[in-house]
Amino acid sequence: MKRMILAAAMAFAVTACSQSDAPASDAGEVNVFSSRHYDTDLALYEDFTEQTGITVNLIEADADALIERIVSEGDLTSADLLVTVDAGRLWRAEEAGILAPVESDVLGERLPAHLRHPDGLWFGLSTRARVIIYNRAAGTPEGLEDYADLADPAWRGDICIRSSSNIYNISLLSSMIANQGAEAAESWASGVVANFARDPQGNDTAQIESVAAGECRIAVVNTYYLARFAGSEEPEQRAIFDALGVIFPDQDGNGTHVNVSGAGLVAGAPNRDNAIAFLEYLTSESAQRYFADGNNEYPAVEGLQANSAVEQLGTFRADTLNAAEIGRNQRQAVEIFDRAGWN
Ligand code: FE
């Protein structure tokens, strides 16, 4: 693999060279614009090149920056595929009009319907769940089973959660708007604000550490942050995980809220066929393994297991609300958070 710095690029490009006899140029290339940055993703791109001879050029940056760049390049864009995290960001790409529909039997068969856009604008490739954690030393929080329970006055001063400007919370509230309606979502948000242990601060990792330290009894975090502690080789990190209980909410209702990492074909992609071939490759069993493991996520293809650190969190039933629906409610969710005073 050779790396080259693109002078004008906002990040870097990786060219994964084919080991096959045919030079990579014969099979062409695919330009992947990605906001994911995990070493396993690189291994994945190299494997694709070995199998197909197609060279993968990787441009990495923050999702909003990538979307902006593709918009500004218009018809002249070099982007073939946009890879990003969270339904909210996939929705921003959809809203920006930079994605083109893909019809593929392979993708249709391998991915469950709720993890792909109804018109094929993007495809979910791995998932993460947003779960409730609690401090075990403070005792099992009786009656805390669903997201709705977080608004119960029984938990006054107990809840730590990150800012409402964070897309994970926006997507969670968006799913509640879809499932229970805007009114219920708003009274929930107000109820949770009333239960805050402190003003929202820090990322999900900070919430985990605060619960383990007993600074707050309860928090809401994504599963892959927990899996980093659960799978850590450092005893201090493991001890943090051991101090926590994990609740997968809404098991008797809609199921636990999950969100996606996904990819969509860019409208005007110069290497359209290669991009679709790459998308299909990403749903193969070995690629799913790499893609999900890169960030301790759940494979999107049904029947494939998550890694052992993720499995330690327990099994659950996921909400099958389409991620496109989660995207659509983002704006309303932000307005509700504002009115609820959730900073
Ligand atoms: Fe994250």
Side-chain angles (χ1 to χ4, degrees):
M1 183 175 74
K2 64 176 188 247
R3 289 189 183 209
M4 55 182 185
I5 305 297
L6 294 184
M10 54 186 69
F12 65 91
V14 173
T15 305
C17 291
S18 167
Q19 300 300 306
S20 68
D21 297 332
S25 57
D26 280 4
E29 57 184 4
V30 60
N31 301 320
V32 177
F33 281 42
S34 175
S35 68
R36 278 175 59 106
H37 37 80
Y38 305 110
D39 290 346
T40 44
D41 287 9
L42 296 180
L44 189 65
Y45 301 155
E46 285 176 53
D47 183 55
F48 176 70
T49 302
E50 267 177 45
Q51 286 189 25
T52 63
I54 298 168
T55 304
V56 180
N57 302 311
L58 176 65
I59 307 297
E60 279 192 321
D62 162 74
D64 291 330
L66 290 174
I67 292 169
E68 215 171 285
R69 175 169 165 183
I70 295 169
V71 168
S72 69
E73 288 174 349
D75 292 343
L76 299 173
T77 189
S78 61
D80 292 311
L81 209 59
L82 176 70
V83 179
T84 189
V85 182
D86 200 286
R89 296 202 182 94
L90 291 163
W91 173 78
R92 285 177 195 166
E94 178 186 349
E95 282 272 290
I98 61 171
L99 300 179
V102 170
E103 257 183 75
S104 156
D105 291 344
V106 173
L107 295 172
E109 275 162 30
R110 292 193 62 86
L111 297 172
H114 70 280
L115 296 180
R116 44 189 161 86
H117 187 276
D119 300 327
L121 290 182
W122 50 256
F123 298 85
L125 297 165
S126 61
T127 67
R128 65 277 296 284
R130 197 140 179 82
V131 298
I132 299 171
I133 56 170
Y134 62 90
N135 180 297
R136 278 155 52 105
T140 307
E142 296 297 337
L144 183 58
E145 291 173 359
D146 301 333
Y147 297 110
D149 299 328
L150 292 167
D152 192 312
W155 315 118
R156 278 283 182 273
D158 283 339
I159 298 176
C160 281
I161 188 164
R162 68 199 289 177
S163 153
S164 70
S165 63
N166 173 256
I167 201 151
Y168 309 145
N169 286 338
I170 296 172
S171 289
L172 173 61
L173 191 61
S174 297
S175 77
M176 297 181 91
I177 293 170
N179 284 332
Q180 278 120 40
E183 226 170 282
E186 181 148 357
S187 67
W188 176 80
S190 302
V192 175
V193 169
N195 287 342
F196 279 173
R198 62 184 184 200
D199 282 341
Q201 60 182 72
N203 60 14
D204 282 11
T205 299
Q207 316 309 318
I208 290 168
E209 289 167 346
S210 295
V211 172
E215 291 159 17
C216 13
R217 187 172 178 192
I218 296 162
V220 179
V221 299
N222 283 353
T223 41
Y224 59 87
Y225 292 97
L226 286 169
R228 283 178 201 159
F229 286 94
S232 175
E233 271 156 27
E234 288 168 44
E236 303 81 24
Q237 303 280 297
R238 282 276 332 171
I240 286 173
F241 179 72
D242 291 340
L244 308 172
V246 180
I247 296 167
F248 283 92
D250 291 70
Q251 291 305 283
D252 295 328
N254 292 303
T256 298
H257 167 68
V258 294
N259 211 319
V260 292
S261 277
L265 177 71
V266 174
N271 305 290
R272 185 191 156 86
D273 291 347
N274 288 351
I276 295 172
F278 186 61
L279 260 177
E280 290 176 344
Y281 162 79
L282 289 174
T283 66
S284 67
E285 190 169 340
S286 62
Q288 279 282 291
R289 184 84 288 134
Y290 273 123
F291 201 84
D293 285 354
N295 188 30
N296 290 306
E297 292 177 282
Y298 299 95
V301 171
E302 269 165 358
L304 300 182
Q305 279 199 323
N307 70 37
S308 60
V310 180
E311 293 278 299
Q312 283 184 59
L313 308 179
T315 56
F316 69 104
R317 190 169 60 80
D319 188 356
T320 55
L321 178 71
N322 191 290
E325 190 96 28
I326 295 171
R328 217 166 286 136
N329 292 332
Q330 303 271 305
R331 210 166 279 147
Q332 199 178 9
V334 170
E335 289 166 8
I336 288 174
F337 276 137
D338 282 350
R339 283 197 295 271
W342 185 320
N343 294 328

